[in-house]
Each structure stands twice: as structure tokens, then as C-alpha cells.
Amino acid sequence: MAAQNQVGDSNVNNGGVQQKGGEMSEMKPVVVTTLQNPPMVGGGGRGNLGIYPNGMLMTSEYSLKETRPHLGGGLQSKDKTSSTYDLVEQMQYLYVKVVKARELSLFGGGEVICEVKLGNYKGVTKRVSYNHAEWDQVFAFSKDCIQSSMVEVFVKEREKDEYIGRVWFDLNEVPKRVPPDSQLAPQWLRMEDKRGDKSKAGEIMISIWFGTQADEAFAEAWHSKAANVHLDGLGSIKSKIYLSPKLWYLRLNVIEAQDIVLGEKGGSIMRYPEFYVKVQVGNQVLRTKVSPAGANRAVSNPFWNEDLIFVVPEPLEDYVLISVEDRIMPGREEVVGRLLLPLGAIERRWDDKTVPSKWYHVDNQNFAFSNPSDPSKSRFGSRIHIRATLDGGYHVLDEATMYSSDLRPTAKQLWKPHIGVLEMGILGATGLMPMKIREGKGGSTDAYCVAKYGQKWVRTRTVVDSLSPKWNEQYTWEVFDPCTVITVGVFDNCRLDKNVAAATGARDSRIGKVRIRLSTLETDRVYTHSYPLLILHASGVKKMGELHLAVRFSCENMGNMLHMYAMPLLPKMHYVNPLSVTQLESLRYQAMNVVTARFSRAEPALGREVVEYMLDHDSHMWSMRKSKANFFRLMNVLSGVIGMARWAEAIRSWQRPVYSSLFVLVYLLLVTFPELIIPTMLIYMALVGIWRYRSRPRHPPHMDTRLSHAENVYPDELDEEFDTFPSTRNSELVRMRYDRLRSVAGRIQTVVGDMATQGERFQGLLSWRDPRATFLFVILCLFAAIGFYMVPIKAVVALWGIYYLRPPKFRSKLPPQVFSFFRRLPSKADSLL
């Protein structure tokens, strides 16, 4: 293994590029794979990194595996929660709820804490004043970690080992609670001091019970497996649900302005003013073009008539800053008028009806909160003509279009009832790679999951220091369109210590991601699989572990779901008043920044790196690997047409005379009865579909390394894919990549030129650019018209088919005369420089 790693590492030099004597040596593909060791007790398996040239790959490591978990606690432990939490394995917990204490005998005042101890595990509450000793905290101890037959609760003075009072419980006497039963009422219990006296230690209100992760206290409870987490980091390990803000498209149609007065700097220079409008909403800034000079318009009345589109979130509490500026010279502008327009005052619309425009007064000295209906502003002054609308008929894209999880318009008035329910049980992960090194413990991972579908984001709790974490959390989403995708990502929590994270700028590390398209799932079926967590590094593809999920897509009305397949994919406004591709990409980037800013203010916060990874922010970046993958995907699509052409050539070559003769008979039959052609084709496709039903895919799709061309990839191509934009590599490497891109683009240029040439030859049939060719074509058309008029079309098609299918000994090896004539036609390639 060590020898193989040395050989693999020797090939990676300066991004995989080796130069000798000014020439670049041949690069061999480098394949990075993960070999799983046997699972370790309590820690799961740890992978080793191996580099194998020549494509030696264990593809079974990257495959999807079906699992058989005991969902809902198994058949023998069904309870009331089985119908609600039936996609996860039941996890038993001991819950201890400490409410408050009273009558504490503490001299001199001070702060007190409550300590819950079970074996080697110890949970401590926050510090409170002894006069007002209220904690209201819940402690959850996993049943797998119980090492004692009793649990003890201590009340202590701050930073002292001696306790003020103590109570204890025998675990054999602890009741079991199963939701939807009501919560256990806490009771006042008399504590005993260190001498065993219960008369002076005071009382504590407490409740204790056995439950599962379905308990209401589970989400906010302190967990025993987080015993080593600092108190400040406990908030970052809890499971939470996030709702992304409702996003609107703000469309500002900047029409014109009147009576704009030049500023002091611009008025002192003899020139034609260059007015433009700058609009700022939050961190988004857009500008119009410079107003063109017009013979019929005064200098002080610039005209633009441009649309500026922004992404704004609810609540609409922000302001639109509109400023008219004069470009005195490049890099030097002067504000000649500005106003503030509140978003809440802008009219909303759900369709493409025109909203009346308004004149707003601008101020060249101070910000003006403009109100066009205010009579006090009707005096003479500079003003600007704007049509502002909040378009609710669009769906604001914040994720890649191909992986969209929601396609509804912004306006809730246009929503249709949901067609089904998506339920997902996030069971756990196995064989995770260590993501960090802890002193005295070696490699560890603090993993949590994030699932995103529609506006609802869910985050599981963080399982601390485990390479085989178990979450067993179940979530539900309403489904409005079956042709959507749910994304589940696994991350390593690097914010357990807030002080260290703030000082070092720690970012949560990516472990892997899984996508599931709902339309590929059968309704009302539970899918339990382990998905390989694959991630692409600069050294190659790497398996980071496996994620275990249970998924069920339930349909309430099959008729409504089938009707969705006939509906447009996007809302109506995307087709009535479409946005350009460039606008959609820019608005998607703005929407992603808005969502990132909103989630960064939550507690616990979802980091920018998490949101960007879930929303595929870099899906549009150039990659040679992705280009190859897309090319071979296209070739795979065209393989059916190519296969049909080869089959027709085999029939035409008469290699099997019996099959060729039967085909000629069927062809003549279809020509004689043309009304059978379309029904025959449709029946054939229906029969093929019915026959393939037995071999239909039984598992949801997953990341395919072979399809992604991640197995055999050149190191330099990976280094280029992970390069920043703009590039940070040295000039020699950038020059080599630029030359390689030029060679690839040259081939594409040749193919596009050949296609254009064929099209121009077709246009040249009647252009008289080649007068002799056009003369021959016109004469041929006249004779052909007479012939097709006199001969029945069935006979023409039958004769053409027999001529095309004639045996090879009756053919000539020279190309047909029609092809020769077409290839001699001129094209515009002669006119290119």
C-alpha cells in the first residue's frame, strides 16, 4: 500500500503537470479510492486513502445498498407513535427535567447550579441566584450509555464540590411515557444534605421518565453524548427547522427624469452631461445605461426606459435608494438627485397587467421619502418617472434549475393544493472519515445532516465524536410537484467552541451530499438504502462514508398528480414575460445571498458554506470533467439513433437475406396501407414499455462516478476545476490550460463550421450564387413536380424503398449523384478571413 501511494504521489507535481526540456510529459489518470477497514467497536470503520493508476477501482464501494432497519421499533414493539415515527429506529432515553428549587440553606447568597449524574455522565444546568433558583432544563441520557442503576440530582453552590441537597432515583422505578400522552407533572421532592438530613436541604421540583426521540423534550434537551461540549456550544448541536424567507422579484422600470440640475462639479465643465440611475436595495446595486443624446429632448430631461430587477425578502421593511448620477469622467461620478422609496409602499401584482407609472420628486441635497400623492411636493423641482412593482407571479430561483425542490410562484394566491406528502427518516451514517484531530483522541467527526426541500430546511442534532452517528430523526414535507428534488447534505460541525470558531473563522466541512428526485419513487413505498457520500477533492473522488435514509412519498390523489405532468414546469409569468438566462443567473446569485444572510442570523446559524453547498452555487463553473461527462451523455442519447442507422445498414447490406426479405415485405405492406404506420409505431412503443416494466429500476438514482467521469480523471483537470475565479495559479500553468482550451474550442469551432456549411449549401440551392447548380436544381424540380403529379405517392415511396434496400451487388461504390451535387454547392466559408 505504501509503495502504491509513493508511486501515485510521484505523478502529482504542480497540479499534475510535469515538464522536462520544455515539453509536457504524458499524464496518466490517477484514481483515488477509499478502502474500508473492518468496522471498529464503537467507532465505525475508517477509510484509508489509496491511489491506483490505470483505473483500478472498487466500484462496489460507490454503489447504492438496500438496508433492512427496524423501523418504528420493529414488529414486536409497536406503540402509539409507530404511525408518526415509523421511518426511524426507536432510541430509548432517560429524561430528567429539573424545574426549580426552594428553601435552600445557603449563607451569604450566591449562585447555585443543579447537577444530574448517571454513572460517568454528568449534566450541569446554568447558574442562577439562590433566591430565584429556576432552571427549567431537560437532560436526556441515551439508554446505550446507562452504566448505573440509579440517577442522582445535586444542588450545589457555584464552583464548590460540596452539595447543598441531593435526591436519587432507582431506574427500575422510573415510569415510561409514550406520546401523545401528556407530559409528566413535575413534583416537589425533599432533598437530603451530606449528612442525610432532609429537614434543612430544601426542596426541588423535578420529573423523570423513560421515552424515545418522539418526546417533545428531545429537541431542546441536553444529551449525554454532548458531555464534552462547552456550555456556549450547546446551542449549535441541537436539531432545528429553518424556513427560508419568501422572496419577491422587485421590478423597477426607470423611464425618464425631468428638470435635472447639474451639480457643482459637473456644471463647471463645458460638456454634454452623462446621466444614469443607480438603484440600491440592501447589498444589491444595479445601474442603467447612460442616457443617450436626443435632438428632441432637453439636456436636463434624460431618458432611459430600462428594467432593473432585484430580489427582496419578506418582511418588506427595507428601502429602495434611487440616485440620479452624472458621470463627469471615468471613475468620477456626482449625485444630482436621490430619493428613498419604502418597499412596503410598492404595488404587488400576480400577472402581467401593466401597473401605472408614477412621478417621484428627487432631492439633490438630502434623502427624500417620496410620496407622489403629497400635495406639499407638487412644487416645481426635479423628478423621476418610475414604474415599480413586486412581481409575485414568478418563482424566485435560489437553487440550480435541474435540482429545484419548489416551483411555486411567490404569491400564495396562485398556489394550488398539495398533491402528496414526503416523509424522510434520517437514520444515521457509517464509516465516516475523520474530519479533525483532537488532542489525545486522534481523528474524530462531529456530524450533522441538513435536508432541503422547498422553503423548509431541517437540521439534525450534532452527534459529537462519532464516526458512525445515529440521528433517527423523521421529517415531513408537503409536495406540490412530483418533478422536484430533495437534497440531503452531511457536514462536520466546527463551531462547538464558539470562541475558537470566532477567532479562527472555522467553517463547517463538507462530508457529502445525496439527491433524490421524487418522480423516480413509487408512491406509498418505503425506500431504505445506504447512499455513498462521495465528494470530489483536488486529488480525486473520495468516499467519505455512507448515509442511511428511509424515504416514503405518499400520494393523496393520483389524478391530481398525473394532471401535474401536463402542466407547465414553471409559473405562467415565466412564459408570458420571460427573463433572460443572464438575468436568471444573476437573480439566483442574489437570492442565494439573501437566504444566506437570513440563515446566518438564526440560532444555531447555518453557515454560508452550508447554504452554498446545498444550493449548488458553483454549478455553472467551467470544468473539463463535466464537459466530458455531458458530451458522453449526449452520445448516449444519440446512441439509439445511431443504433437504428446501423440496423438499417445491416438490413440494407443483406447479411441475413431472410431478415432483409421480411423487412422489404413489411415495408411494402406499410406503404400500401399507410394508415397502419403510426398505430404500428405506437403499439410497438407501448409493448416495449410493458415488457420493460419487469426490469424497471427498483432503487432511487444516486451519484454515479462513472457517469460523472470522476473515476479516470487527469490531476491537472481536477486542479483546474478547484481553482478559484479569477485564477490564482502561476502564469505557466494558466498558459498551458488556455492552450488546451483553445485546442478543444478549435474542434468545436470546426464542427460548428461544418454544420453551418451544410445549411448554407441548402440555402444556396435557390440563391443563384452558383448559376449552373441553381439552373439544374430548378429544372429538376419542374420535372419532379410533373412526375410526382402523374405517379401515385405510394408507388414513389415503394420504388424508393426498394431502390434503397437493393442488394449490394446492384450498387455502386461511388457516392450517390444527389450527394455529389449537394457537396459541390458553394457556402459562405469562402468569404471568411
Side-chain angles (χ1 to χ4, degrees):
M1 188 68 172
Q4 291 172 342
N5 284 338
Q6 291 175 2
V7 173
D9 293 340
S10 65
N11 291 330
V12 183
N13 183 18
N14 195 13
V17 180
Q18 298 179 358
Q19 295 182 353
K20 184 177 180 180
E23 297 180 357
M24 185 175 65
S25 61
E26 181 182 1
M27 295 182 296
K28 295 184 177 180
V30 175
V31 178
V32 181
T33 182
T34 302
L35 300 180
Q36 298 292 333
N37 288 337
M40 300 175 62
V41 177
R46 296 185 182 181
N48 295 326
L49 185 66
I51 302 181
Y52 296 90
N54 302 326
M56 295 174 59
L57 185 66
M58 296 179 63
T59 55
S60 61
E61 290 293 326
Y62 299 150
S63 61
L64 188 71
K65 303 181 183 68
E66 188 170 7
T67 58
R68 303 289 183 183
H70 298 284
L71 300 182
L75 295 176
Q76 302 182 4
S77 59
K78 293 290 184 180
D79 52 32
K80 301 176 185 178
T81 61
S82 61
S83 60
T84 304
Y85 294 89
D86 59 344
L87 294 183
V88 293
E89 297 177 317
Q90 281 193 3
M91 301 175 66
Q92 299 293 329
Y93 287 90
L94 172 66
Y95 291 97
V96 180
K97 182 176 183 180
V98 181
V99 184
K100 56 186 175 180
R102 66 185 180 185
E103 300 178 5
L104 300 178
S105 57
L106 184 63
F107 298 99
E111 294 179 330
V112 294
I113 60 173
C114 184
E115 179 182 299
V116 181
K117 184 178 181 182
L118 177 64
N120 295 330
Y121 291 94
K122 181 175 64 175
V124 181
T125 65
K126 58 187 177 182
R127 299 170 299 190
V128 297
S129 174
Y130 87 101
N131 292 326
H132 190 68
E134 293 188 8
W135 298 284
D136 197 20
Q137 287 185 240
V138 181
F139 299 86
F141 297 88
S142 175
K143 199 171 183 179
D144 300 336
C145 304
I146 294 179
Q147 304 170 348
S148 175
S149 61
M150 60 179 293
V151 58
E152 298 176 285
V153 181
F154 302 93
V155 177
K156 296 182 177 181
E157 189 177 358
R158 176 188 175 187
E159 298 179 355
K160 288 188 178 181
D161 294 334
E162 296 182 356
Y163 60 85
I164 302 172
R166 164 183 175 269
V167 294
W168 61 275
F169 301 90
D170 186 355
L171 296 185
N172 295 324
E173 303 297 331
V174 173
K176 182 179 180 181
R177 174 180 177 260
V178 178
D181 290 349
S182 300
Q183 296 185 7
L184 270 69
Q187 299 179 356
W188 285 105
L189 299 178
R190 175 67 62 177
M191 295 186 294
E192 61 181 19
D193 57 14
K194 56 187 176 180
R195 300 185 184 89
D197 186 5
K198 293 187 177 182
S199 61
K200 300 180 180 180
E203 293 180 324
I204 185 171
M205 180 179 285
I206 195 171
S207 61
I208 181 171
W209 69 94
F210 277 110
T212 65
Q213 73 268 33
D215 202 291
E216 296 87 346
F218 176 80
E220 297 296 332
W222 173 93
H223 292 269
S224 56
K225 293 187 177 180
N228 297 327
V229 180
H230 192 269
L231 186 62
D232 294 337
L234 289 177
S236 65
I237 66 174
K238 296 180 179 179
S239 58
K240 293 291 181 182
I241 294 179
Y242 305 84
L243 293 178
S244 59
K246 183 185 290 188
L247 303 177
W248 293 76
Y249 280 150
L250 170 63
R251 185 188 297 268
L252 287 177
N253 179 219
V254 183
I255 303 175
E256 59 179 335
Q258 287 185 355
D259 302 326
I260 299 298
V261 181
L262 292 177
E264 297 179 358
K265 300 178 182 178
S268 60
I269 305 176
M270 294 297 297
R271 62 181 183 84
Y272 191 89
E274 299 181 2
F275 292 124
Y276 67 93
V277 176
K278 183 178 74 173
V279 183
Q280 180 175 357
V281 182
N283 296 326
Q284 308 170 46
V285 179
L286 293 178
R287 295 175 174 85
T288 65
K289 298 179 181 178
V290 175
S291 174
N296 299 326
R297 299 187 66 89
V299 175
S300 60
N301 298 337
F303 181 82
W304 300 281
N305 195 22
E306 288 189 34
D307 277 351
L308 304 179
I309 304 178
F310 301 84
V311 176
V312 293
E314 286 189 357
L316 302 173
E317 299 174 348
D318 209 343
Y319 290 89
V320 182
L321 172 59
I322 303 174
S323 58
V324 182
E325 299 186 4
D326 181 19
R327 181 178 298 166
I328 301 175
M329 59 182 64
R332 185 180 177 186
E333 296 84 14
E334 182 181 13
V335 178
V336 295
R338 59 180 59 166
L339 67 94
L340 277 176
L341 188 63
L343 285 175
I346 297 177
E347 186 174 349
R348 308 182 188 188
R349 66 172 181 177
W350 332 123
D351 47 27
D352 59 335
K353 293 182 180 179
T354 304
V355 175
S357 58
K358 299 179 182 178
W359 286 95
Y360 296 91
H361 294 274
V362 298
D363 193 346
N364 58 359
Q365 295 180 355
N366 302 311
F367 291 105
F369 292 86
S370 183
N371 185 2
S373 61
D374 188 359
S376 62
K377 293 290 185 179
S378 59
R379 61 180 176 80
F380 176 82
S382 302
R383 57 180 187 166
I384 188 171
H385 194 193
I386 291 177
R387 179 182 290 107
T389 57
L390 287 168
D391 290 341
Y394 291 94
H395 169 69
V396 181
L397 293 168
D398 59 349
E399 52 195 340
T401 310
M402 63 190 76
Y403 309 132
S404 292
S405 61
D406 188 11
L407 301 170
R408 293 173 295 170
T410 301
K412 199 170 183 178
Q413 294 85 343
L414 302 179
W415 291 3
K416 297 182 179 180
H418 66 277
I419 60 172
V421 175
L422 172 65
E423 300 168 274
M424 173 175 285
I426 304 176
L427 305 179
T430 56
L432 295 183
M433 296 289 290
M435 303 300 296
K436 60 171 73 77
I437 303 296
R438 282 198 171 95
E439 296 182 2
K441 294 185 178 180
S444 67
T445 299
D446 306 319
Y448 68 93
C449 279
V450 175
K452 194 264 183 192
Y453 185 78
Q455 291 184 325
K456 182 178 178 180
W457 297 56
V458 300
R459 170 179 177 157
T460 66
R461 70 188 187 282
T462 299
V463 178
V464 180
D465 194 15
S466 176
L467 300 180
S468 297
K470 290 185 178 181
W471 294 290
N472 283 304
E473 299 183 20
Q474 183 170 338
Y475 299 96
T476 304
W477 290 268
E478 291 183 343
V479 178
F480 294 85
D481 194 315
C483 302
T484 47
V485 178
I486 182 172
T487 305
V488 185
V490 185
F491 302 89
D492 176 52
N493 196 335
C494 298
R495 294 182 170 88
L496 297 184
D497 192 338
K498 288 190 175 182
N499 296 328
V500 176
T504 60
R507 295 163 57 92
D508 292 349
S509 303
R510 307 171 180 177
I511 298 180
K513 181 167 55 178
V514 173
R515 300 190 194 98
I516 302 176
R517 184 170 292 274
L518 271 59
S519 59
T520 62
L521 305 178
E522 298 179 11
T523 54
D524 300 321
R525 177 190 168 188
V526 178
Y527 290 84
T528 53
H529 293 84
S530 64
Y531 297 81
L533 295 173
L534 306 177
I535 197 166
L536 196 64
H537 292 282
S539 56
V541 65
K542 189 175 182 181
K543 181 179 178 181
M544 307 297 291
E546 294 183 355
L547 177 63
H548 297 259
L549 299 176
V551 183
R552 179 172 57 209
F553 177 35
S554 303
C555 173
E556 297 182 355
N557 190 323
M558 183 59 68
N560 291 340
M561 179 178 294
L562 297 179
H563 177 68
M564 289 299 301
Y565 282 86
M567 300 298 293
L569 190 64
L570 293 172
K572 179 181 177 180
M573 283 293 292
H574 285 270
Y575 306 98
V576 176
N577 191 7
L579 302 173
S580 65
V581 177
T582 305
Q583 283 180 314
L584 288 175
E585 284 296 328
S586 175
L587 293 172
R588 179 182 168 235
Y589 180 75
Q590 296 178 15
M592 186 186 66
N593 287 336
V594 171
V595 174
T596 302
R598 183 63 60 89
F599 285 165
S600 64
R601 299 171 59 186
E603 183 61 34
L606 273 183
R608 183 179 185 88
E609 67 279 4
V610 175
V611 178
E612 289 181 349
Y613 185 57
M614 296 293 291
L615 296 180
D616 292 285
H617 74 291
D618 56 351
S619 60
H620 64 284
M621 299 299 292
W622 158 258
S623 168
M624 181 68 74
R625 176 189 60 83
K626 292 181 181 178
S627 301
K628 291 181 180 179
N630 290 333
F631 172 76
F632 284 103
R633 284 173 58 201
L634 179 61
M635 294 302 297
N636 187 40
V637 171
L638 298 178
S639 62
V641 179
I642 298 174
M644 290 291 294
R646 291 176 178 174
W647 175 79
E649 187 63 28
I651 294 294
R652 188 167 173 253
S653 63
W654 290 77
Q655 296 176 357
R656 297 181 178 180
V658 176
Y659 292 162
S660 298
S661 302
L662 289 176
F663 182 79
V664 170
L665 294 178
V666 172
Y667 175 77
L668 294 176
L669 177 65
L670 292 177
V671 171
T672 307
F673 303 98
E675 62 273 9
L676 297 178
I677 296 177
I678 295 180
T680 302
M681 295 176 60
L682 295 178
I683 291 177
Y684 171 75
M685 288 188 290
L687 292 177
V688 170
I690 294 173
W691 177 259
R692 291 182 178 179
Y693 177 78
R694 298 188 306 169
S695 59
R696 67 189 184 279
R698 302 295 296 175
H699 308 293
H702 66 288
M703 304 291 183
D704 191 339
T705 55
R706 190 179 300 276
L707 178 66
S708 305
H709 276 257
E711 294 183 357
N712 300 319
V713 59
Y714 291 101
D716 180 67
E717 294 178 2
L718 283 178
D719 184 72
E720 180 183 20
E721 184 172 346
F722 284 91
D723 193 9
T724 58
F725 188 85
S727 177
T728 56
R729 300 297 187 263
N730 60 72
S731 58
E732 293 296 328
L733 190 58
V734 174
R735 181 181 292 109
M736 184 274 295
R737 291 174 180 171
Y738 176 66
D739 292 340
R740 180 178 61 192
L741 186 62
R742 289 176 61 190
S743 65
V744 174
R747 299 172 192 170
I748 299 175
Q749 171 183 285
T750 302
V751 173
V752 173
D754 291 342
M755 295 173 62
T757 297
Q758 305 304 324
E760 290 168 353
R761 285 173 177 171
F762 182 78
Q763 294 176 344
L765 288 172
L766 297 173
S767 66
W768 293 94
R769 171 54 59 186
D770 185 342
R772 288 166 292 278
T774 304
F775 172 78
L776 290 175
F777 181 72
V778 170
I779 297 299
L780 178 64
C781 289
L782 292 176
F783 281 102
I786 298 173
F788 277 106
Y789 178 76
M790 298 179 62
V791 181
I793 187 63
K794 294 181 181 181
V796 173
V797 175
L799 290 175
W800 175 85
I802 294 175
Y803 175 79
Y804 178 78
L805 296 172
R806 68 191 186 278
K809 65 180 181 179
F810 297 109
R811 298 188 210 147
S812 172
K813 294 184 178 181
L814 298 178
Q817 296 178 351
V818 175
F819 290 171
S820 300
F821 174 77
F822 187 77
R823 289 169 183 165
R824 291 177 177 274
L825 293 174
S827 68
K828 295 182 180 179
D830 305 333
S831 303
L832 293 178
L833 293 175

